[in-house]
Amino acid sequence: MPIGQLIRDLRGARGWTQAQLADQLTLSAEEPNGAPGRDAVKRWESGKVVPGGFWLDHLAKVFDVPFDPLKGEATLDRVNRRSLSACQLSSRRTDISLHNW
């Protein structure tokens, strides 16, 4: 399951809004100025951004779930992004070389 969907499901199971999750992370991290806002949570859930280890640790704490499964899903998402980017780049190179003929 993509990390974004997992975060959305865990948040939904608690009945929290994205803003409430952001508030919980602010309290957990004790970083009021550097904590993610609702927009960051939205980007994580949409899959546009994969949270880093620091925020994965705090997500595990606020959701009261083990860290390793979250880290595993985030790692898979990063690997999949890199693979997809490499395929897209390779496809573009092929398209470019075909247009030069």
Side-chain angles (χ1 to χ4, degrees), residues 2-101:
I3 188 67
Q5 183 178 343
L6 184 56
I7 293 168
R8 184 174 42 253
D9 289 351
L10 289 167
R11 178 181 59 78
R14 283 151 184 80
W16 294 344
T17 65
Q18 290 174 339
Q20 288 171 319
L21 174 55
D23 289 344
Q24 291 294 320
L25 289 168
T26 299
L27 294 172
S28 172
E30 297 180 358
E31 290 200 22
N33 296 327
R38 181 192 163 278
D39 289 339
V41 173
K42 182 179 177 179
R43 287 191 304 271
W44 294 342
E45 289 184 358
S46 69
K48 291 181 181 177
V49 176
V50 177
F54 179 82
W55 291 116
L56 289 171
D57 182 50
H58 289 286
L59 285 164
K61 288 176 185 173
V62 300
F63 288 138
D64 193 27
V65 297
F67 172 76
D68 288 338
L70 290 177
K71 182 181 178 191
E73 292 302 329
T75 301
L76 283 175
D77 279 3
R78 285 189 185 98
V79 168
N80 289 340
R81 279 175 188 253
R82 288 183 187 129
S83 297
L84 181 59
S85 294
C87 289
Q88 289 173 339
L89 181 58
S90 176
S91 175
R92 287 183 191 145
R93 287 181 181 156
T94 302
D95 290 345
I96 291 169
S97 65
L98 290 176
H99 291 302
N100 290 334
W101 287 96

